[in-house]
Amino acid sequence: MAALPVEGAREQMSGGSMLIRGAEIVLPDRIVSGDLRVVAGKIESIAIGGGLVPNGDEMLVEGEGLHLMPGAIDPQVHFREPGNPEKETIGSGSRAAAAGGVTSFFDMPNNNPAATSLAAMQAKIDSAAATAVTNYGFFIGATPNNVADLQDAVGTAEAPSPTDGICGIKVFMGSSTGDLLVHQQEHLENIFANTGGIIAVHAEDEDRLNARWPEFQDRTDIAAHAEWRDHECALLATKRATKLAKDHGHKLHVLHLTTGVEADWLAQNKGDLVTTEVCPQHLTFDQDDVEKIGTRLQMNPPIHYTEDRDTLWRRLKDGTIDCIATDHAPHTLENKALGFPTAHSGMPGVETSLPLMLTHALDGKCSISDVTRWMCEGPARVYGMKNKGRLEEGFDGDLVLVDLENSHTIQDADTWTNVGWTPLAGMELTGFPQLTVVGGIPVHGRGIGGSLRGEPLCEAGEAGIALKF
Ligand code: DOR
């Protein structure tokens, strides 16, 4: 197999133009052998069967034996900037994304302080322009009384006015990491009635969480987490958010679905306004894994039970669940070592989601085309992104070449996240990206036989743009 252009890639960079030859190209409807050319950051031609001739001005990549996919889009990450650089920054998170074949991310506002104004959003967008190596979008956080700020960022119901780099509004209906919370009906009504764009909700019912806390507050076994934040807690909030969306004709995205009852209910009730997502960890782990692995698998909403995992797979395959997001939420190992219930909830995932899902594909749980639909096309469709998520002439040159012929046991030391660990440590995975390309610019490379961590191929800020919605 040809060596990949890890060495010399920077010198060969030529204005976002490259020719990838002889790859297995994952098109929207089939997988074909062929060549793909990117010119000035856009896919210019796809030659099924090959035959494109290098023109001398472009970087040449031999893709033989590799699958070429659209770059993955991760529509839910927590990069901790501002406030907690020891956990992640926009720059470090974006590097991790690139290493994982993720070429666009949408970052959450539960920072310290929370990002709830246009000025705070602009600071994040400016930081991303200087430090990211992938495309970026940011959610603005809703509070009980910041509708005017939300309108500055996304416009009103009558006159939506998206800002480049702002993907939508985030509402925490139940408490999680940080202090963002909107759970009273009048405040939720106000937000749904008076804003444009899309509202993404963390759907857990705050009143039920508070009411049942005394029953669980003395438990130190991690099983208590899913018992406390139970099915009913998730279902109540998902139903309530769906009603708000329908009453006000507002687009709604239910984040990180974790229970079978929600997925089954949404299958009957979601209609045209509501979309939803699932995380790879909820498709991979169950209560036994949580018991065994411990706080590394502690998150909100929690990993529930085997039946939930099975139903989530079923509802992903039948199209009820629109896309996959990681909810990449790094906390330090020192914090996780505090044990349950003191440890914070959340786990890293942005750099392992694609290999993990491709491993599921090779294990027969789904197909490579399914993974592309869920991780590339799906997020682009949900958030109305143009020219992203598919390998098609005229689309953006956001690409990933993955190796499905080799597998590797991943360890904490193989990661790029600032917290330096993965809940998948010790698992054998395939589908590691060999080359990640953003707008025709190579941003991360591995190379067969190279280190599993791979190498950055561009400087901070050299690739990636504010996403348009
Ligand atoms: O487990 C979680 N961690 N769930 C969330 O909703 C927030 C996230 C975080 O930011 O740590």
Side-chain angles (χ1 to χ4, degrees):
M1 182 173 301
L4 280 153
V6 173
E7 279 179 42
R10 281 182 56 71
E11 294 69 34
Q12 290 185 49
M13 261 196 224
S14 46
S17 298
M18 68 168 54
L19 173 60
I20 300 175
R21 285 202 298 201
E24 295 300 305
I25 304 179
V26 185
L27 297 176
D29 56 347
R30 62 203 157 125
I31 300 177
V32 295
S33 297
D35 303 345
L36 181 146
R37 170 172 275 141
V38 178
V39 175
K42 301 257 182 225
I43 299 172
E44 191 230 36
S45 45
I46 297 174
I48 296 173
L52 295 183
V53 179
N55 66 18
D57 293 334
E58 61 197 356
M59 184 175 154
L60 182 61
V61 179
E62 299 296 352
E64 196 191 323
L66 302 172
H67 280 71
L68 179 61
M69 300 173 53
I73 299 169
D74 189 339
Q76 192 191 169
V77 301
H78 300 263
F79 283 168
R80 311 299 189 206
E81 181 178 329
N84 291 95
E86 76 288 3
K87 295 185 180 182
E88 208 73 283
T89 61
I90 291 169
S92 68
S94 178
R95 284 266 182 234
V102 170
T103 52
S104 299
F105 65 81
F106 303 175
D107 175 63
M108 286 295 168
N110 57 328
N111 304 121
N112 188 8
T116 57
S117 67
L118 188 54
M121 301 308 292
Q122 198 54 57
K124 292 178 82 165
I125 292 168
D126 291 348
S127 175
T131 64
V133 294
T134 59
N135 305 310
Y136 42 90
F138 296 92
F139 286 95
I140 181 166
T143 73
N145 49 25
N146 77 335
V147 164
D149 295 294
L150 302 179
Q151 290 174 336
D152 286 346
V154 299
T156 61
E158 298 72 34
S161 61
T163 305
D164 287 356
I166 301 184
C167 45
I169 296 169
K170 168 70 182 278
V171 175
F172 280 89
M173 296 175 72
S175 302
S176 190
T177 304
D179 53 12
L180 287 175
L181 177 67
V182 186
H183 68 115
Q184 288 177 359
Q185 191 65 17
E186 63 180 298
H187 298 141
L188 289 166
E189 297 276 0
N190 193 16
I191 294 165
F192 275 82
N194 294 303
T195 60
I198 187 164
I199 295 176
V201 295
H202 177 118
E204 290 187 291
D205 186 78
E206 182 70 6
D207 289 341
R208 185 171 172 86
L209 286 176
N210 289 333
R212 295 173 78 241
W213 177 240
E215 262 178 74
F216 294 94
Q217 62 182 352
D218 297 326
R219 293 265 300 267
T220 55
D221 61 309
I222 198 164
H225 196 59
E227 287 177 44
W228 172 43
R229 305 182 87 110
D230 67 349
H231 287 186
E232 184 62 14
C233 177
L235 184 61
L236 274 173
T238 289
K239 284 183 172 174
R240 186 173 176 208
T242 301
K243 181 165 176 8
L244 283 159
K246 290 186 177 173
D247 287 352
H248 296 286
H250 204 301
K251 278 173 76 178
L252 167 72
H253 185 67
V254 181
L255 296 160
H256 44 34
L257 217 60
T258 58
T259 70
V261 285
E262 283 172 288
D264 284 342
W265 186 83
L266 283 171
Q268 302 302 321
N269 296 283
K270 96 198 241 263
D272 293 339
L273 287 168
V274 183
T275 52
T276 190
E277 68 185 28
V278 66
C279 301
Q281 54 267 36
H282 293 104
L283 296 169
T284 304
F285 298 114
D286 67 6
Q287 68 287 343
D288 297 335
D289 300 301
V290 174
E291 183 66 38
K292 203 160 34 185
I293 297 172
T295 53
R296 282 186 178 213
L297 290 186
Q298 180 189 326
M299 68 174 293
N300 301 328
I303 290 165
H304 289 280
Y305 305 102
T306 316
E307 315 79 79
D308 295 295
R309 183 178 64 184
D310 295 347
T311 305
L312 291 169
W313 267 111
R314 193 158 49 78
R315 291 305 183 189
L316 182 59
K317 287 185 178 183
D318 79 5
T320 302
I321 299 175
D322 300 87
C323 63
I324 286 180
T326 66
D327 194 12
H328 174 87
H331 293 288
T332 61
L333 278 178
E334 292 71 32
N335 176 275
K336 287 290 187 182
L338 297 173
F340 185 81
T342 314
H344 292 151
S345 292
M347 67 189 76
V350 70
E351 63 193 294
T352 50
S353 53
L354 188 57
L356 179 55
M357 290 309 298
L358 289 170
T359 302
H360 284 309
L362 255 70
D363 287 346
K365 295 285 284 179
C366 58
S367 69
I368 296 164
S369 298
D370 286 335
V371 174
T372 307
R373 219 172 51 251
W374 300 331
M375 298 188 70
C376 312
E377 274 191 73
R381 193 179 57 248
V382 167
Y383 287 91
M385 300 159 80
K386 288 204 181 68
N387 300 329
K388 295 224 176 277
R390 295 158 75 111
L391 297 182
E392 197 173 305
E393 288 167 6
F395 272 47
D396 294 339
D398 298 339
L399 312 169
V400 58
L401 264 175
V402 298
D403 169 24
L404 290 165
E405 291 184 359
N406 297 287
S407 49
H408 307 272
T409 302
I410 190 166
Q411 302 294 358
D412 287 345
D414 300 319
T415 62
W416 285 90
T417 171
N418 271 354
V419 294
W421 63 273
T422 165
L424 311 184
M427 280 178 73
E428 189 168 322
L429 301 178
T430 188
F432 283 93
Q434 300 304 301
L435 183 69
T436 306
V437 175
V438 175
I441 298 173
V443 296
H444 194 91
R446 278 192 175 79
I448 308 292
S451 87
L452 195 54
R453 201 161 177 258
E455 294 174 39
L457 299 177
C458 73
E459 301 293 335
E462 246 174 6
I465 53 161
L467 293 162
K468 294 185 191 306
F469 298 95

